[in-house]
Amino acid sequence: MNILFAASEIFPYAKSGGLADVAHALPDALRKEKHTVYTIMPLYHIVDRAKYKIVFSGLSFDYWLRGVRHQFDVFYSEDAPHDLFVYNPIICDRMGLYHDANGEFGDNGLRFGLFSYAVLEVMIRQKLKVEVLHINDWQSALVALLIKTRYKLDTRTILTIHNLAYQGIFSKELMYDLEIDWEKCFKPEGLEYFDSVNFLKAGIFYSDVVTTVSKTYAHEIQTPLFGYGLDHVLRLNTYKLVGIVNGISTEIYDPKKDKDLYKTFSTKRYKGKSDNKIALCEALGLPEPQRPLFVFIGRFTSQKGVDLLLDGLNLFKDFEANFVILGSGEEYYNHRFAVLAHNFSNIHIEVRYDEALSHRLYASADFLLMPSTFEPCGLNQMIAMRYGTLPIVSKTGGLHDTVTDFTDAFDRQNIQGIGITFGEHNLYWLLHAIAKALSLYANSEKFKALSKHNMEVDNSWKLSALEYVKLYQGA
Ligand code: ADP
């Protein structure tokens, strides 16, 4: 099949979270199954054009909206010619993807509205014979509305919701700037949302199929607790809503080959894992590397359970264990973690985004902390498993679907990855889970067996990519 995959971030070109990983790994898995997949994303200022050999395709065009001329240039990567990029100064010429230190960019609605136009214009002008347009999150959701109400094309659209908490809600005046048809679109079963416009909501109504990134999250988002104000919209569209669990790239995350590690390892050369831990503890100044090592890697936002971590630090300092926290995100949390960074000898805190360090942490850790309040799928727990690390997760969304508690793991068929799960999101249960982890770690033979089990769990994209293919064909 011919698929055009549009996303606002794609690894390795630009990444702020799991969307970028998925937007790289799913097209990659589909290409391996001999499908033709084009990807398209904005050519942000921060994308390293030289490193990825990104060159001008020869296509430039203007698109007029409400008397304003918007200019677009189309690029591609010489290393991966189906990876397309659009350059437009409003979308691309700034130092962040969606925000900077002062907060969200005020013109994100216009920026990603323009990106949605660009996706369709590139598809038409490049004469890409696309059967399915796979759009992702609110940043490309408007493509579905434009296809149905303005372009009137046969191309089917599939929208994947990676995180319902982000919807792209803007003032309705934006409809003028983007020349969106008021009569057709500004209605409850369309773009309208409490007298504003909601891009994701429009995407849900106008797409042919809506997917989200795990089966449990597909159920959860139809309830008021997880629905972020769109649960009724999702219940109305339940007939076309499907949950497909994400996979991870087994090439990027491969303990046998990973160049960022101190030492590569495998289930057979398992000692390499503890060599990584020793080297990491030395590099970060952590005491007694034989202690269990707990790590947290993620965006600093309440969703990731960072409030529990902040509340817990004063207790973690008394455990016979080491902790590393790597993350960045909302200014409030960045500040709080930065202030605490030098207070504890057994807790190392890094407030930044660091891909290479994250690989070393996955490889060195014994346990990954993931106390999310909700988690559409979550990739960290699967990446951790690949490196023989046991995830400690709250039982929600994709964490529920991908992690089995080690005490429940006997005699079950098709057991997925093993870790420690806790049902109630509070510090008591997190501490309880850590205590369970400490006693498991004390039984080194059992711990090692579970760690090796995790390294062999298949969390690749293979099966999920096939599920997507079925959906594309059905659409
Ligand atoms: P999100 O909700 O942020 O998309 P996911 O679990 O789906 O969460 O994906 C997170 C991805 O981002 C993983 O690849 C993780 O390793 C990476 N990541 C998050 N924060 C950092 C950081 N500070 N440094 C390096 N990698 C990070």
Side-chain angles (χ1 to χ4, degrees):
M1 293 191 77
N2 294 330
I3 301 136
L4 175 58
F5 195 96
S8 56
E9 53 184 273
I10 302 180
F11 183 86
Y13 310 115
K15 170 170 166 179
S16 79
L19 168 61
D21 286 327
V22 174
H24 162 83
L26 173 56
D28 199 40
L30 293 167
R31 284 168 184 161
K32 285 194 180 118
E33 295 296 321
K34 305 273 177 284
H35 299 284
T36 303
V37 188
Y38 300 94
T39 61
I40 185 162
M41 63 170 277
L43 187 55
Y44 302 108
H45 182 75
I46 54 136
V47 176
D48 190 335
R49 296 187 190 198
K51 182 169 175 190
Y52 301 115
K53 299 199 193 127
I54 295 171
V55 294
F56 181 50
S57 72
L59 174 65
S60 287
F61 59 90
D62 294 338
Y63 199 89
W64 290 80
L65 286 170
R66 215 187 165 206
V68 178
R69 181 164 65 105
H70 296 283
Q71 292 172 281
F72 299 88
D73 302 311
V74 182
F75 291 72
Y76 69 96
S77 162
E78 280 182 334
D79 286 340
H82 284 161
D83 290 5
L84 308 176
F85 304 83
V86 276
Y87 170 77
N88 160 275
I90 296 177
I91 305 173
C92 302
D93 287 353
R94 55 193 81 197
M95 290 313 291
L97 305 190
Y98 319 118
H99 54 79
D100 61 15
N102 299 315
E104 296 282 308
F105 297 132
D107 58 353
N108 275 345
L110 177 64
R111 292 175 71 219
F112 290 101
L114 291 177
F115 175 58
S116 299
Y117 272 103
V119 169
L120 290 169
E121 286 298 317
V122 171
M123 181 176 88
I124 293 164
R125 289 168 192 259
Q126 294 273 51
K127 299 195 173 55
L128 307 178
K129 290 195 185 65
V130 171
E131 292 146 290
V132 173
L133 226 165
H134 192 151
I135 54 181
N136 293 277
D137 279 349
W138 70 266
Q139 291 92 339
S140 49
L142 226 49
V143 167
L145 175 146
L146 294 173
I147 275 207
K148 290 252 160 58
T149 63
R150 186 172 174 121
Y151 284 80
K152 303 197 171 78
L153 303 175
D154 272 344
T155 317
R156 306 275 100 183
T157 45
I158 291 198
L159 166 72
T160 297
I161 301 171
H162 296 262
N163 192 334
L164 189 66
Y166 304 97
Q167 299 179 3
I169 299 170
F170 305 102
S171 154
K172 62 186 176 191
E173 314 311 323
L174 187 61
M175 297 194 57
Y176 290 112
D177 295 335
L178 291 175
E179 278 188 16
I180 292 171
D181 189 322
W182 274 93
E183 293 214 346
K184 274 194 206 142
C185 304
F186 198 69
K187 57 185 182 185
E189 55 295 345
L191 192 59
E192 189 271 339
Y193 186 75
F194 294 105
D195 208 33
S196 296
V197 293
N198 181 326
F199 283 18
L200 191 69
K201 184 180 177 213
I204 294 168
F205 275 112
Y206 289 102
S207 291
D208 299 297
V209 179
V210 179
T211 75
T212 188
V213 289
S214 68
K215 292 206 172 12
T216 297
Y217 194 58
H219 292 299
E220 285 175 345
I221 56 179
Q222 297 180 60
T223 67
L225 192 58
F226 293 95
Y228 270 87
L230 287 186
D231 47 295
H232 66 292
V233 171
L234 289 156
R235 285 197 299 276
L236 274 177
N237 289 281
T238 190
Y239 67 95
K240 61 176 179 184
L241 176 63
V242 185
I244 301 180
V245 72
N246 282 338
I248 55 167
S249 162
T250 47
E251 278 152 31
I252 294 167
Y253 301 109
D254 184 355
K256 289 195 198 101
K257 296 196 191 122
D258 194 329
K259 291 200 175 60
D260 291 320
L261 307 192
Y262 296 106
K263 199 167 185 182
T264 55
F265 61 98
S266 65
T267 47
K268 294 205 181 78
R269 290 182 289 114
Y270 186 75
K271 190 182 157 295
K273 181 159 171 71
S274 50
D275 292 341
N276 274 287
K277 183 159 95 168
I278 293 167
L280 180 95
C281 288
E282 197 182 312
L284 301 184
L286 286 166
E288 301 175 52
Q290 74 283 2
R291 289 174 167 195
L293 174 64
F294 295 77
V295 303
F296 170 91
I297 301 162
R299 285 184 296 119
F300 285 162
T301 173
S302 65
Q303 179 207 335
K304 299 291 174 183
V306 285
D307 296 289
L308 285 192
L309 295 182
L310 283 166
D311 290 348
L313 289 179
N314 263 317
L315 300 164
F316 299 166
K317 77 172 191 315
D318 297 324
F319 281 118
E320 287 284 308
N322 288 322
F323 294 80
V324 180
I325 294 172
L326 167 66
S328 66
E330 291 163 23
E331 277 310 303
Y332 164 76
Y333 293 115
N334 289 350
H335 178 71
R336 284 204 62 193
F337 277 110
V339 166
L340 292 166
H342 303 290
N343 283 14
F344 313 100
S345 61
N346 65 333
I347 305 174
H348 185 91
I349 299 174
E350 292 279 347
V351 184
R352 63 197 162 93
Y353 188 94
D354 187 332
E355 192 76 26
L357 177 59
S358 78
H359 285 231
R360 287 195 282 281
L361 293 179
Y362 286 121
S364 307
D366 300 299
F367 299 97
L368 174 90
L369 294 170
M370 228 174 149
S372 307
T373 55
F374 69 94
E375 195 59 75
C377 177
L379 300 176
N380 298 23
Q381 80 280 14
M382 294 189 273
I383 302 170
M385 288 173 203
R386 180 108 171 111
Y387 291 86
T389 298
L390 270 63
I392 298 180
V393 303
S394 43
K395 233 178 165 161
T396 179
L399 300 177
H400 178 268
D401 296 355
T402 54
V403 184
T404 303
D405 190 278
F406 78 96
T407 55
D408 295 334
F410 306 106
D411 302 330
R412 284 220 201 155
Q413 295 293 313
N414 302 324
I415 284 193
Q416 273 285 301
I418 291 177
I420 294 171
T421 65
F422 59 102
E424 283 189 46
H425 195 267
N426 58 46
L427 188 56
Y428 173 80
W429 282 109
L430 175 62
L431 290 173
H432 187 256
I434 293 177
K436 247 170 113 175
L438 293 175
S439 67
L440 173 61
Y441 185 80
N443 183 345
S444 61
E445 282 312 305
K446 183 162 184 185
F447 176 81
K448 206 157 115 182
L450 296 181
S451 161
K452 286 186 180 177
H453 164 93
N454 275 358
M455 290 176 76
E456 281 173 348
V457 168
D458 183 3
N459 280 315
S460 75
W461 265 102
K462 217 166 178 195
L463 290 177
S464 297
L466 290 180
E467 283 194 57
Y468 274 106
V469 172
K470 268 193 220 143
L471 271 189
Y472 296 155
Q473 286 162 345

